[in-house]
Amino acid sequence: MLSSVAVLALDHVAAFELGVLAEVFGTDRTADGFPGYRFAVCSPDGGPVRTASGFQLVPTHDLAPVEDADLVAVPAHSRGCPVPEPVLTALRRAADRGAWLLSVCSGAFLLGAAGLLDDRDCTTHWRHTDELQRQHPRARVSCNSLYVQDGRLLTSAGTAAGIDACLHLVRQAHGSEVATRLARRMVVPPHRDGGQAQYVEAPIPRAPEAATLEPVLAWLMGHLDRPVTVEELAGRAGMAPRTFARRFRAETGTTPHDWVTNQRVLLARQLLEETALTVEEVAGRAGFGDAAGLRHHFTRRVGTTPLAYRTTFRARVGAV
């Protein structure tokens, strides 16, 4: 169940990251059939806070909404600012009662200060992953993930990766169709593959090695049901297979096989949610060949079987 959201805003909060949370959860789209949320921006005393961009925000709540929110979200803040103890206590209580906890960018440091990253998988902006690991040696910090989920703890990398994490949570709470429609409304991809490696600072090459892969990716999205090889894709891109594989990883942060498999799993999730097709038919439509192939890849990436996923999703739809 996800119906109430509390966002913690401390001094020097990052305006964009706060705006991401407000856009996804604080904008009323119920007239268009989207889920609605009780949304509260909270400061420690309910008073104004300074943003990192030099202007002030005036939240309308103190920490009270944090006590019963389904989701407690932490946007990025300046890492050198002290965190009031009541904020840390509120975060610990939220974790103890099983609320979702979501951080955007350096917001992970606030979760760490509350002791909530110990023995957990997590991430933050690639510039800060080493520091996060040093400060919290028991945390399992991923250096390359756009977002990481560990139970009901969801941490994301810099800025726009917060959108990815929010849509991931919407997808879990309300299904792929809602998340995809919301992404379309926000004019963002419903799911990005790869990791932060594609955004890490690197020397700019003297000349591009190849043209953009967007036409090939667009073709792939329309032909997920058919078998494809790297050689065929390389031919469509006008490259040698090895050059294509290097360029693909450089532009997407992952391999062609992994990218296609991820997209096929997403298509399978949509078909399981929205159609009455059998698992065997879903496997064919999504390009896995047969039900055994679908179960193998689906279970590895989603953590459950296609049939169990369909059953769970239909029960969730009834609850929404």
Side-chain angles (χ1 to χ4, degrees), residues 164-277:
D164 298 305
C166 289
L167 290 174
H168 174 73
L169 183 52
V170 169
R171 186 177 299 112
Q172 290 199 62
H174 307 296
S176 293
E177 191 272 335
V178 171
T180 300
R181 285 200 298 124
L182 180 58
R184 186 177 298 118
R185 176 69 65 88
M186 295 171 61
V187 198
V188 296
H191 178 80
R192 289 192 296 164
D193 292 303
Q196 296 190 66
Q198 56 193 307
Y199 306 108
V200 174
E201 292 175 352
I204 299 175
R206 294 178 180 270
E209 295 181 5
T212 177
L213 296 179
E214 287 184 6
V216 175
L217 298 182
W219 181 86
L220 266 173
M221 290 298 293
H223 297 81
L224 291 174
D225 60 330
R226 54 163 291 179
V228 293
T229 64
V230 171
E231 288 74 18
E232 179 182 1
L233 298 175
R236 288 185 172 276
M239 306 178 199
R242 288 187 179 180
T243 301
F244 174 81
R246 287 195 300 270
R247 171 55 56 186
F248 198 99
R249 180 175 284 279
E251 292 196 7
T252 69
T254 188
T255 65
H257 177 267
D258 198 54
W259 191 91
V260 171
T261 302
N262 278 335
Q263 298 303 321
R264 284 174 170 162
V265 168
L266 282 173
L267 176 58
R269 290 173 70 162
Q270 181 179 358
L271 293 172
L272 288 167
E273 294 173 10
E274 300 176 7
T275 74
L277 294 173

Side-chain angles (χ1 to χ4, degrees), residues 18-264:
L18 176 59
V20 165
L21 296 165
E23 176 67 22
V24 175
F25 300 111
T27 302
D28 186 358
R29 299 185 176 91
T30 53
D32 295 324
F34 288 94
Y37 309 97
R38 298 192 306 276
F39 182 80
V41 177
C42 308
S43 65
D45 59 0
V49 294
R50 292 168 293 174
T51 71
S53 302
F55 58 88
Q56 281 194 329
L57 290 172
V58 184
T60 54
H61 299 84
D62 58 14
L63 297 178
V66 179
E67 296 300 324
D68 60 1
D70 301 319
L71 165 65
V72 179
V74 185
H77 296 80
S78 295
R79 287 170 289 119
C81 294
V83 181
E85 183 59 34
V87 172
L88 301 179
T89 300
L91 283 169
R92 295 183 192 113
R93 282 202 295 260
D96 289 343
R97 63 180 173 79
W100 281 98
L101 297 173
L102 185 156
S103 68
V104 183
C105 193
S106 61
F109 286 85
L110 190 57
L111 298 179
L116 301 177
L117 299 184
D118 290 350
D119 304 315
R120 308 292 293 275
D121 296 314
C122 58
T123 193
T124 188
H125 192 288
W126 58 266
R127 293 182 63 188
H128 307 317
T129 51
D130 289 345
E131 181 182 351
L132 186 65
Q133 188 68 80
R134 282 194 300 270
Q135 289 190 20
H136 305 286
R138 290 178 55 189
R140 298 187 293 267
V141 181
S142 171
C143 301
N144 188 39
S145 302
L146 294 175
Y147 58 86
V148 172
Q149 181 181 343
D150 186 323
R152 296 176 78 84
L153 177 74
L154 187 58
T155 54
S156 63
T159 312
I163 300 175
D164 298 305
C166 289
L167 290 174
H168 174 73
L169 183 52
V170 169
R171 186 177 299 112
Q172 290 199 62
H174 307 296
S176 293
E177 191 272 335
V178 171
T180 300
R181 285 200 298 124
L182 180 58
R184 186 177 298 118
R185 176 69 65 88
M186 295 171 61
V187 198
V188 296
H191 178 80
R192 289 192 296 164
D193 292 303
Q196 296 190 66
Q198 56 193 307
Y199 306 108
V200 174
E201 292 175 352
I204 299 175
R206 294 178 180 270
E209 295 181 5
T212 177
L213 296 179
E214 287 184 6
V216 175
L217 298 182
W219 181 86
L220 266 173
M221 290 298 293
H223 297 81
L224 291 174
D225 60 330
R226 54 163 291 179
V228 293
T229 64
V230 171
E231 288 74 18
E232 179 182 1
L233 298 175
R236 288 185 172 276
M239 306 178 199
R242 288 187 179 180
T243 301
F244 174 81
R246 287 195 300 270
R247 171 55 56 186
F248 198 99
R249 180 175 284 279
E251 292 196 7
T252 69
T254 188
T255 65
H257 177 267
D258 198 54
W259 191 91
V260 171
T261 302
N262 278 335
Q263 298 303 321
R264 284 174 170 162

